[in-house]
Amino acid sequence: MFLKTIEVQNFRSISNLKVEDLGQINIFTGKNNCGKTTLLEAVFQLVAWHIGGLQQLNSLRTLSKNNTDFSGFFYNMKEDSSIVINGIFDEKSYQRTVTIHFTKAINIFNEENTKYLQSNLSERQKGSKQSEPIVGKAKIKDGDIIFEDIMQAPTLSLRCNFPIFKVFEHGNLIRSLSDIIINKQKSKVLELLQQIDNRIKDIEVVDNGIFLDLENFPKFIPIEISGDGLRRILSVILSIYGVGKGGMVMIDEVENGLHFSTMPKFWRGLINAAQDIGVQLFITTHNEELLQSLSKTAQEGPYKQMQPKIKYYNLKRYENDEIVAYKYDFDKFDFLISNGNEIR
């Protein structure tokens, strides 16, 4: 099930932004501080919806997994406001709204330094009324966070991955690859890796590490020796295969770690994986070479059928802090990039 429209209010640097007619592969560009990464985070939180999702997002931007300062999620750090994220999906016109706000405890002794954060999830399908909110709450005090049990699950279960490329998340790669090996999907992952580097003959999990069998090497080598670029690519591939059909994967600054010569292979791998698994991709980039590579790759025979499913959005922030997403379908995107227009 793919997201078709998302509207974001009072979330991080976005006061109000609506993005419509999303495709299967969505590319977002724009100047620094125009809201690209924040938009990806909003998609993630729309799926996760509960306070734990915000905590995961905190770990993307800090070195701590246990950061309990949530003020940065509110536009201009105004904790008295409410974050609202609304999404419309293609299956049965399913719609969900996530509302996040701080609440105050009443008549609780000695709770002056305690904060209460609440996230509400409302759902609606075509022809039906909006559901009663599912409520998730968390108590924050002295750097600790206590989550209340959530007694009800959403009507539709959505899945997403937001690959994290920090050293302390290396364990996630090991767990993800182990699951894929157990489910006999390693050959698909290996095939995509070989499109990036044809020297790779095999990949395995050994003890607490990921090892590669490279052509002409006498033994398996740790993936770290191949550099951060390959580990980043592996993280993206594992995220796509790990999320499963109908899932969503957010890839921030996809060009990091990619040499220009591998860009066509990387796009082929992403498109193949998106088609094979049936996932929706949300990608940010600043790199013009990467955009040119996408344009050329999508002209190749096996990938032409994906052109209508590729959407390009340029985010622009104006002086009044308004952010507008300008959408281009593939034909217009290809025309602009092929004629040297600056569309980043």
Side-chain angles (χ1 to χ4, degrees):
M1 181 169 59
F2 291 164
L3 181 65
K4 301 303 293 183
T5 299
I6 185 168
E7 187 168 9
V8 184
Q9 297 175 11
N10 297 324
F11 185 64
R12 288 213 190 269
S13 62
I14 296 176
S15 60
N16 195 346
L17 172 63
K18 187 174 185 178
V19 183
E20 299 178 280
D21 193 29
L22 291 161
Q24 185 173 1
I25 299 177
N26 304 281
I27 315 295
F28 301 96
T29 66
K31 296 181 179 179
N32 290 332
N33 197 36
C34 70
K36 299 187 300 298
T37 300
T38 297
L39 180 59
L40 266 58
E41 291 182 328
V43 176
F44 179 90
Q45 188 58 31
L46 179 68
V47 175
W49 81 265
H50 48 74
I51 308 301
L54 293 180
Q55 194 173 37
Q56 286 181 267
L57 290 175
N58 256 340
S59 72
L60 292 175
R61 298 205 184 195
T62 68
L63 294 177
S64 171
K65 292 184 178 182
N66 301 310
N67 188 343
T68 59
D69 181 7
F70 296 95
S71 59
F73 286 105
F74 293 82
Y75 178 69
N76 285 344
M77 302 186 77
K78 294 180 179 179
E79 294 186 359
D80 58 345
S81 64
S82 294
I83 296 168
V84 180
I85 307 173
N86 183 64
I88 300 175
F89 297 78
D90 56 358
E91 185 173 311
K92 299 179 181 178
S93 296
Y94 171 76
Q95 181 175 343
R96 68 164 46 182
T97 301
V98 176
T99 305
I100 302 166
H101 60 277
F102 281 99
T103 64
K104 293 183 178 180
I106 301 175
N107 298 327
I108 297 181
F109 180 71
N110 196 28
E111 292 286 272
E112 300 87 3
N113 298 320
T114 303
K115 290 183 176 181
Y116 295 85
L117 190 57
Q118 178 170 319
S119 179
N120 298 338
L121 170 64
S122 298
E123 303 173 282
R124 182 171 61 191
Q125 290 185 326
K126 187 176 182 180
S128 63
K129 295 181 179 179
Q130 185 163 295
S131 67
E132 289 295 320
I134 303 173
V135 179
K137 295 180 180 180
K139 175 182 176 180
I140 305 164
K141 185 176 183 179
D142 299 329
D144 293 324
I145 182 167
I146 301 173
F147 296 97
E148 290 190 7
D149 291 336
I150 300 173
M151 306 306 296
Q152 183 180 352
T155 302
L156 288 181
S157 177
L158 304 177
R159 301 177 308 280
C160 69
N161 273 330
F162 202 142
I164 301 174
F165 309 110
K166 295 177 181 175
V167 173
F168 66 69
E169 292 295 338
H170 183 61
N172 283 347
L173 287 182
I174 296 173
R175 287 188 292 272
S176 298
L177 182 56
S178 297
D179 289 342
I180 284 173
I181 291 174
I182 290 172
N183 291 320
K184 296 185 177 181
Q185 291 183 312
K186 186 179 75 168
S187 60
K188 297 179 180 179
V189 173
L190 186 60
E191 182 181 344
L192 292 178
L193 287 176
Q194 289 170 339
Q195 293 178 20
I196 306 299
D197 188 341
N198 59 14
R199 299 176 303 159
I200 299 174
K201 301 303 177 185
D202 199 2
I203 184 169
E204 290 288 351
V205 175
V206 180
D207 294 330
N208 292 317
I210 295 175
F211 288 77
L212 299 173
D213 180 8
L214 292 185
E215 187 176 12
N216 297 326
F217 278 67
K219 62 181 181 179
F220 277 70
I221 66 168
I223 192 172
E224 289 83 359
I225 293 179
S226 296
D228 290 339
L230 185 61
R231 188 165 57 173
R232 181 179 176 90
I233 292 168
L234 176 62
S235 181
V236 171
I237 292 172
L238 294 182
S239 292
I240 291 174
Y241 279 92
V243 76
K245 184 177 180 180
M248 289 166 272
V249 177
M250 282 64 74
I251 311 171
D252 195 25
E253 296 184 355
V254 67
E255 67 271 14
N256 288 352
L258 284 180
H259 189 266
F260 72 91
S261 63
T262 67
M263 289 177 181
K265 298 176 182 179
F266 186 64
W267 281 123
R268 293 182 195 117
L270 280 186
I271 295 173
N272 284 334
Q275 287 180 301
D276 184 30
I277 301 298
V279 301
Q280 187 176 21
L281 303 180
F282 300 84
I283 300 168
T284 70
T285 183
H286 286 285
N287 191 287
E288 185 174 359
E289 287 179 325
L290 192 72
L291 295 174
Q292 292 171 342
S293 177
L294 172 60
S295 175
K296 292 178 181 178
T297 301
Q299 301 288 349
E300 297 173 2
Y303 309 110
K304 285 186 177 181
Q305 62 180 344
M306 285 294 291
Q307 291 179 9
K309 300 179 182 181
I310 298 173
K311 300 294 174 67
Y312 169 84
Y313 299 84
N314 184 244
L315 302 188
K316 291 190 177 181
R317 183 186 296 273
Y318 292 92
E319 291 183 359
N320 63 357
D321 225 17
E322 177 188 17
I323 302 176
V324 178
Y326 293 96
K327 186 197 76 173
Y328 304 85
D329 60 21
F330 180 81
D331 288 340
K332 189 171 184 181
F333 161 75
D334 179 61
F335 175 81
L336 291 174
I337 200 72
S338 299
N339 287 276
N341 291 274
E342 176 60 59
I343 59 174
R344 291 176 297 167

